[in-house]
Amino acid sequence: MTHIQTFPWDAADHLETPEDMAAYLEAALEEGDPALIVAVLGDIARSKGMTHIARETGLGRESLYKALSSEGNPEFGTVIKVIKALGLQLHATPIS
């Protein structure tokens, strides 16, 4: 029997441009699952460097890791600070 070697895949390793990050967040927002959106923000923050995001937001690095995990439940103010520190913005459009 042939053994297949697998490797862990981390989205943060593939988010190289602001456009990549925005498209990834947009896809999560379209799904509408709050836990997914928070996890995606965590992936994007890790791709930019959690220490950098912590410094930009004024929040602790460890608390950011916890808040932006798939089990995290950050306050909306934290989400807005993180999005701004990531160099992104939220936009509202009517549902078609």
Side-chain angles (χ1 to χ4, degrees):
M1 177 184 261
T2 304
H3 292 280
I4 298 173
Q5 187 174 8
T6 62
F7 300 94
W9 189 85
D10 187 352
D13 295 335
H14 304 279
L15 299 169
E16 298 175 355
T17 67
E19 292 77 19
D20 293 342
M21 296 172 197
Y24 187 40
L25 180 57
E26 185 68 29
L29 290 167
E30 287 174 5
E31 288 295 317
D33 178 357
L36 176 62
I37 294 166
V38 169
V40 164
L41 283 173
D43 291 341
I44 298 170
R46 285 186 301 103
S47 76
K48 295 272 284 194
M50 199 62 86
T51 301
H52 169 76
I53 300 304
R55 193 173 331 128
E56 291 290 315
T57 61
L59 303 169
R61 189 176 59 84
E62 291 301 319
S63 64
L64 276 177
Y65 272 113
K66 183 178 177 182
L68 299 178
S69 72
S70 58
E71 295 84 30
N73 190 19
E75 293 184 11
F76 191 66
T78 299
V79 171
I80 295 299
K81 286 179 183 180
V82 169
I83 289 171
K84 184 176 180 182
L86 293 171
L88 301 172
Q89 359 176 315
L90 293 180
H91 292 274
T93 57
I95 296 173
S96 44

